[in-house]
Amino acid sequence: QNYLDNFWPDLKAAHELFDSIVQARRERESESQENHGKEYPEHLPVEVLEAGIKSGRYLQGTLNVNKHRAQLEAFVRLQGVGCKDSG
């Protein structure tokens, strides 16, 4: 803000862009506070997921996405299924 005020006081587009960025940042921080610091809201509470994993209703795994073809290629590697580390 100081830079724009001191060196570009007449550049209206830059001031509008700066104001827009500040507003977007405030909105994002507000949303983050509403979600208790989480970027995305949870679909199910953690307790429900943990109970579902223990009971076998849900499976836990890792989502792997091809960074070059993210919209076309992805797979889930299930923990404890078909790997040497499960034991």
Side-chain angles (χ1 to χ4, degrees):
Q1 180 70 46
N2 290 339
Y3 175 79
L4 290 175
D5 290 340
N6 292 329
F7 294 101
W8 301 99
D10 299 328
L11 191 57
K12 184 178 179 183
H15 286 272
E16 290 174 356
L17 177 60
F18 179 81
D19 292 340
S20 174
I21 292 169
V22 168
Q23 179 64 27
R25 186 174 178 182
R26 285 184 187 143
E27 289 174 6
R28 186 172 183 187
E29 288 172 358
S30 174
E31 289 172 3
S32 179
Q33 289 174 353
E34 290 174 7
N35 293 327
H36 306 291
K38 297 175 183 168
E39 188 171 346
Y40 300 102
E42 297 175 352
H43 293 283
L44 293 172
V46 173
E47 300 81 25
V48 173
L49 291 175
E50 289 174 347
I53 290 170
K54 286 181 182 177
S55 71
R57 182 175 180 187
Y58 301 126
L59 300 174
Q60 185 173 4
T62 304
L63 176 65
N64 294 286
V65 179
N66 181 330
K67 67 180 179 181
H68 301 290
R69 299 181 60 177
Q71 294 180 341
L72 301 174
E73 293 183 16
F75 66 93
V76 175
R77 178 170 291 152
L78 298 177
Q79 293 181 358
V81 178
C83 62
K84 297 178 183 177
D85 296 333
S86 63

